Short mmCIF file of all heavy atoms in Angstrom, two decimals:
data_model
loop_
_atom_site.label_atom_id
_atom_site.label_comp_id
_atom_site.label_asym_id
_atom_site.label_seq_id
_atom_site.Cartn_x
_atom_site.Cartn_y
_atom_site.Cartn_z
N GLY E 182 76.67 22.80 -15.23
CA GLY E 182 75.90 24.04 -15.32
C GLY E 182 74.47 23.78 -15.78
O GLY E 182 73.52 24.37 -15.25
N GLU E 183 74.30 22.89 -16.76
CA GLU E 183 72.96 22.55 -17.22
C GLU E 183 72.16 21.86 -16.13
O GLU E 183 70.98 22.12 -15.91
CB GLU E 183 73.04 21.65 -18.45
CG GLU E 183 73.55 22.35 -19.71
CD GLU E 183 72.59 23.41 -20.18
OE1 GLU E 183 71.46 23.06 -20.60
OE2 GLU E 183 72.94 24.60 -20.10
N SER E 184 72.83 20.94 -15.41
CA SER E 184 72.16 20.24 -14.31
C SER E 184 71.77 21.21 -13.20
O SER E 184 70.68 21.12 -12.63
CB SER E 184 73.09 19.15 -13.76
OG SER E 184 72.52 18.54 -12.62
N ARG E 185 72.67 22.14 -12.90
CA ARG E 185 72.38 23.12 -11.86
C ARG E 185 71.22 24.03 -12.27
O ARG E 185 70.41 24.44 -11.44
CB ARG E 185 73.64 23.94 -11.58
CG ARG E 185 73.50 24.90 -10.41
CD ARG E 185 74.84 25.53 -10.10
NE ARG E 185 75.39 26.18 -11.29
CZ ARG E 185 76.61 26.70 -11.35
NH1 ARG E 185 77.40 26.62 -10.29
NH2 ARG E 185 77.03 27.29 -12.44
N ARG E 186 71.13 24.36 -13.57
CA ARG E 186 70.03 25.21 -14.03
C ARG E 186 68.70 24.47 -13.91
O ARG E 186 67.68 25.07 -13.56
CB ARG E 186 70.26 25.64 -15.48
CG ARG E 186 69.30 26.74 -15.92
CD ARG E 186 69.85 27.47 -17.12
NE ARG E 186 69.65 26.73 -18.34
CZ ARG E 186 68.54 26.82 -19.07
NH1 ARG E 186 67.55 27.57 -18.67
NH2 ARG E 186 68.42 26.14 -20.19
N LEU E 187 68.70 23.17 -14.18
CA LEU E 187 67.47 22.39 -14.00
C LEU E 187 67.05 22.38 -12.53
O LEU E 187 65.87 22.55 -12.21
CB LEU E 187 67.68 20.96 -14.49
CG LEU E 187 67.68 20.74 -16.01
CD1 LEU E 187 68.08 19.31 -16.32
CD2 LEU E 187 66.31 21.03 -16.59
N THR E 188 68.03 22.19 -11.65
CA THR E 188 67.73 22.19 -10.22
C THR E 188 67.19 23.55 -9.78
O THR E 188 66.23 23.64 -9.00
CB THR E 188 68.98 21.84 -9.41
OG1 THR E 188 69.47 20.57 -9.83
CG2 THR E 188 68.67 21.79 -7.92
N SER E 189 67.82 24.62 -10.28
CA SER E 189 67.38 25.97 -9.93
C SER E 189 65.95 26.22 -10.40
O SER E 189 65.15 26.85 -9.70
CB SER E 189 68.33 27.00 -10.54
OG SER E 189 67.87 28.32 -10.30
N MET E 190 65.64 25.71 -11.58
CA MET E 190 64.29 25.90 -12.11
C MET E 190 63.27 25.16 -11.27
O MET E 190 62.17 25.66 -10.99
CB MET E 190 64.23 25.42 -13.57
CG MET E 190 62.93 25.75 -14.27
SD MET E 190 62.91 25.14 -15.96
CE MET E 190 64.30 26.01 -16.65
N MET E 191 63.59 23.95 -10.84
CA MET E 191 62.67 23.19 -10.00
C MET E 191 62.46 23.88 -8.65
O MET E 191 61.34 23.92 -8.12
CB MET E 191 63.21 21.78 -9.78
CG MET E 191 63.25 20.89 -11.02
SD MET E 191 61.62 20.64 -11.78
CE MET E 191 61.71 21.79 -13.16
N GLU E 192 63.54 24.44 -8.09
CA GLU E 192 63.41 25.16 -6.82
C GLU E 192 62.54 26.40 -7.00
O GLU E 192 61.73 26.73 -6.12
CB GLU E 192 64.79 25.55 -6.31
CG GLU E 192 65.64 24.36 -5.86
CD GLU E 192 67.05 24.78 -5.48
OE1 GLU E 192 67.40 25.95 -5.74
OE2 GLU E 192 67.79 23.93 -4.93
N ALA E 193 62.71 27.09 -8.14
CA ALA E 193 61.89 28.28 -8.39
C ALA E 193 60.42 27.91 -8.55
O ALA E 193 59.53 28.63 -8.09
CB ALA E 193 62.39 29.00 -9.65
N LEU E 194 60.16 26.80 -9.20
CA LEU E 194 58.77 26.34 -9.35
C LEU E 194 58.17 26.00 -7.99
O LEU E 194 56.99 26.28 -7.74
CB LEU E 194 58.71 25.12 -10.27
CG LEU E 194 58.81 25.40 -11.77
CD1 LEU E 194 58.93 24.10 -12.55
CD2 LEU E 194 57.59 26.17 -12.24
N ASP E 195 58.95 25.38 -7.10
CA ASP E 195 58.46 25.09 -5.76
C ASP E 195 58.13 26.37 -5.00
O ASP E 195 57.11 26.45 -4.30
CB ASP E 195 59.51 24.28 -4.98
CG ASP E 195 59.59 22.84 -5.45
OD1 ASP E 195 58.61 22.37 -6.06
OD2 ASP E 195 60.63 22.20 -5.22
N GLN E 196 58.98 27.39 -5.13
CA GLN E 196 58.72 28.66 -4.48
C GLN E 196 57.46 29.31 -5.03
O GLN E 196 56.64 29.86 -4.29
CB GLN E 196 59.91 29.60 -4.66
CG GLN E 196 61.18 29.13 -3.95
CD GLN E 196 62.38 29.96 -4.33
OE1 GLN E 196 62.31 30.84 -5.20
NE2 GLN E 196 63.51 29.68 -3.70
N LEU E 197 57.31 29.26 -6.35
CA LEU E 197 56.13 29.85 -6.98
C LEU E 197 54.87 29.13 -6.55
O LEU E 197 53.84 29.75 -6.27
CB LEU E 197 56.28 29.79 -8.51
CG LEU E 197 55.26 30.59 -9.33
CD1 LEU E 197 55.31 32.06 -8.96
CD2 LEU E 197 55.54 30.41 -10.81
N LYS E 198 54.93 27.80 -6.45
CA LYS E 198 53.77 27.02 -5.99
C LYS E 198 53.43 27.37 -4.55
O LYS E 198 52.26 27.48 -4.19
CB LYS E 198 54.09 25.53 -6.11
CG LYS E 198 52.95 24.62 -5.68
CD LYS E 198 53.35 23.17 -5.78
CE LYS E 198 54.46 22.82 -4.81
NZ LYS E 198 54.80 21.37 -4.83
N GLU E 199 54.46 27.58 -3.74
CA GLU E 199 54.22 27.93 -2.34
C GLU E 199 53.50 29.25 -2.21
O GLU E 199 52.54 29.38 -1.44
CB GLU E 199 55.56 27.98 -1.60
CG GLU E 199 55.44 28.42 -0.14
CD GLU E 199 56.79 28.54 0.52
OE1 GLU E 199 57.79 28.07 -0.05
OE2 GLU E 199 56.84 29.13 1.62
N TRP E 200 53.92 30.25 -3.01
CA TRP E 200 53.27 31.55 -2.90
C TRP E 200 51.93 31.59 -3.60
O TRP E 200 51.05 32.35 -3.22
CB TRP E 200 54.21 32.64 -3.42
CG TRP E 200 55.23 32.98 -2.39
CD1 TRP E 200 56.53 32.56 -2.33
CD2 TRP E 200 55.03 33.78 -1.23
NE1 TRP E 200 57.14 33.04 -1.21
CE2 TRP E 200 56.25 33.80 -0.52
CE3 TRP E 200 53.93 34.47 -0.72
CZ2 TRP E 200 56.40 34.50 0.67
CZ3 TRP E 200 54.08 35.17 0.47
CH2 TRP E 200 55.30 35.17 1.15
N ASP E 201 51.73 30.77 -4.62
CA ASP E 201 50.40 30.62 -5.21
C ASP E 201 49.43 30.09 -4.16
O ASP E 201 48.29 30.53 -4.05
CB ASP E 201 50.45 29.66 -6.40
CG ASP E 201 50.90 30.36 -7.67
OD1 ASP E 201 50.84 31.60 -7.70
OD2 ASP E 201 51.31 29.67 -8.61
N HIS E 202 49.91 29.11 -3.37
CA HIS E 202 49.06 28.55 -2.32
C HIS E 202 48.85 29.55 -1.19
O HIS E 202 47.75 29.67 -0.65
CB HIS E 202 49.71 27.28 -1.77
CG HIS E 202 48.96 26.65 -0.65
ND1 HIS E 202 47.66 26.18 -0.78
CD2 HIS E 202 49.31 26.42 0.64
CE1 HIS E 202 47.25 25.69 0.37
NE2 HIS E 202 48.23 25.82 1.25
N ALA E 203 49.90 30.30 -0.86
CA ALA E 203 49.78 31.28 0.22
C ALA E 203 48.79 32.37 -0.13
O ALA E 203 48.14 32.94 0.74
CB ALA E 203 51.15 31.89 0.51
N ALA E 204 48.65 32.67 -1.43
CA ALA E 204 47.73 33.73 -1.85
C ALA E 204 46.29 33.38 -1.52
O ALA E 204 45.44 34.26 -1.41
CB ALA E 204 47.88 33.99 -3.35
N SER E 205 45.97 32.10 -1.37
CA SER E 205 44.60 31.67 -1.08
C SER E 205 44.37 31.47 0.41
O SER E 205 43.30 31.06 0.82
CB SER E 205 44.29 30.36 -1.81
OG SER E 205 45.13 29.31 -1.35
N ARG E 206 45.38 31.78 1.24
CA ARG E 206 45.24 31.58 2.67
C ARG E 206 45.22 32.94 3.39
O ARG E 206 45.71 33.93 2.88
CB ARG E 206 46.40 30.75 3.23
CG ARG E 206 46.50 29.36 2.63
CD ARG E 206 47.64 28.58 3.25
NE ARG E 206 48.91 29.25 3.04
CZ ARG E 206 50.06 28.84 3.57
NH1 ARG E 206 50.08 27.77 4.34
NH2 ARG E 206 51.18 29.50 3.32
N SER E 207 44.64 32.95 4.56
CA SER E 207 44.56 34.18 5.34
C SER E 207 45.42 34.12 6.60
O SER E 207 45.32 34.98 7.45
CB SER E 207 43.11 34.45 5.74
OG SER E 207 42.58 33.36 6.48
N TYR E 208 46.25 33.08 6.72
CA TYR E 208 47.01 32.92 7.96
C TYR E 208 48.51 32.89 7.70
O TYR E 208 49.26 32.22 8.40
CB TYR E 208 46.58 31.64 8.69
CG TYR E 208 46.59 30.39 7.83
CD1 TYR E 208 47.74 29.62 7.69
CD2 TYR E 208 45.44 29.99 7.16
CE1 TYR E 208 47.74 28.48 6.91
CE2 TYR E 208 45.43 28.85 6.39
CZ TYR E 208 46.58 28.10 6.28
OH TYR E 208 46.56 26.97 5.49
N VAL E 209 48.99 33.60 6.67
CA VAL E 209 50.42 33.70 6.41
C VAL E 209 51.06 34.47 7.56
O VAL E 209 50.52 35.46 8.05
CB VAL E 209 50.67 34.40 5.06
CG1 VAL E 209 52.17 34.54 4.81
CG2 VAL E 209 50.03 33.60 3.93
N GLN E 210 52.23 34.02 7.99
CA GLN E 210 52.90 34.60 9.15
C GLN E 210 53.52 35.95 8.79
O GLN E 210 54.44 36.03 7.96
CB GLN E 210 53.99 33.65 9.66
CG GLN E 210 54.69 34.12 10.92
CD GLN E 210 53.76 34.13 12.12
OE1 GLN E 210 52.95 33.24 12.27
NE2 GLN E 210 53.89 35.14 12.95
N TYR E 211 53.03 37.03 9.39
CA TYR E 211 53.59 38.36 9.20
C TYR E 211 54.23 38.83 10.50
O TYR E 211 53.73 38.56 11.59
CB TYR E 211 52.51 39.35 8.76
CG TYR E 211 51.99 39.10 7.36
CD1 TYR E 211 50.87 38.33 7.14
CD2 TYR E 211 52.65 39.65 6.26
CE1 TYR E 211 50.40 38.09 5.86
CE2 TYR E 211 52.18 39.43 4.98
CZ TYR E 211 51.06 38.65 4.78
OH TYR E 211 50.60 38.41 3.51
N THR E 212 55.34 39.56 10.35
CA THR E 212 56.09 40.05 11.50
C THR E 212 56.47 41.49 11.27
O THR E 212 56.80 41.89 10.14
CB THR E 212 57.37 39.21 11.72
OG1 THR E 212 57.02 37.82 11.80
CG2 THR E 212 58.09 39.63 12.99
N THR E 213 56.43 42.30 12.32
CA THR E 213 56.85 43.70 12.21
C THR E 213 58.38 43.76 12.13
O THR E 213 59.08 43.19 12.98
CB THR E 213 56.35 44.50 13.41
OG1 THR E 213 54.92 44.44 13.45
CG2 THR E 213 56.78 45.96 13.29
N ALA E 214 58.89 44.42 11.10
CA ALA E 214 60.34 44.48 10.89
C ALA E 214 60.73 45.84 10.35
O ALA E 214 59.92 46.53 9.71
CB ALA E 214 60.79 43.37 9.94
N ASP E 215 61.99 46.21 10.60
CA ASP E 215 62.53 47.47 10.09
C ASP E 215 62.97 47.27 8.64
O ASP E 215 63.84 46.44 8.36
CB ASP E 215 63.72 47.89 10.96
CG ASP E 215 64.28 49.25 10.56
OD1 ASP E 215 63.80 49.83 9.57
OD2 ASP E 215 65.20 49.72 11.25
N MET E 216 62.38 48.02 7.72
CA MET E 216 62.67 47.82 6.30
C MET E 216 64.11 48.17 5.97
O MET E 216 64.72 47.55 5.09
CB MET E 216 61.70 48.65 5.45
CG MET E 216 60.27 48.15 5.49
SD MET E 216 60.12 46.41 5.02
CE MET E 216 60.82 46.44 3.38
N ALA E 217 64.67 49.17 6.64
CA ALA E 217 66.07 49.53 6.37
C ALA E 217 67.00 48.36 6.71
O ALA E 217 67.96 48.07 5.98
CB ALA E 217 66.46 50.77 7.16
N GLU E 218 66.70 47.67 7.80
CA GLU E 218 67.51 46.53 8.20
C GLU E 218 67.34 45.37 7.22
O GLU E 218 68.32 44.67 6.89
CB GLU E 218 67.12 46.09 9.61
CG GLU E 218 67.97 44.96 10.17
CD GLU E 218 69.43 45.35 10.36
OE1 GLU E 218 69.71 46.56 10.52
OE2 GLU E 218 70.29 44.45 10.34
#
Side-chain angles (χ1 to χ4, degrees):
E183 290 295 293
S184 175
R185 186 172 56 187
R186 191 160 79 88
L187 284 172
T188 302
S189 176
M190 188 181 300
M191 293 301 102
E192 291 175 351
L194 281 172
D195 286 339
Q196 294 171 355
L197 191 59
K198 181 182 65 176
E199 176 184 347
W200 281 101
D201 277 342
H202 177 61
S205 63
R206 299 182 300 175
S207 57
Y208 51 87
V209 178
Q210 183 68 39
Y211 290 94
T212 306
T213 300
D215 185 356
M216 291 305 301
E218 184 64 25

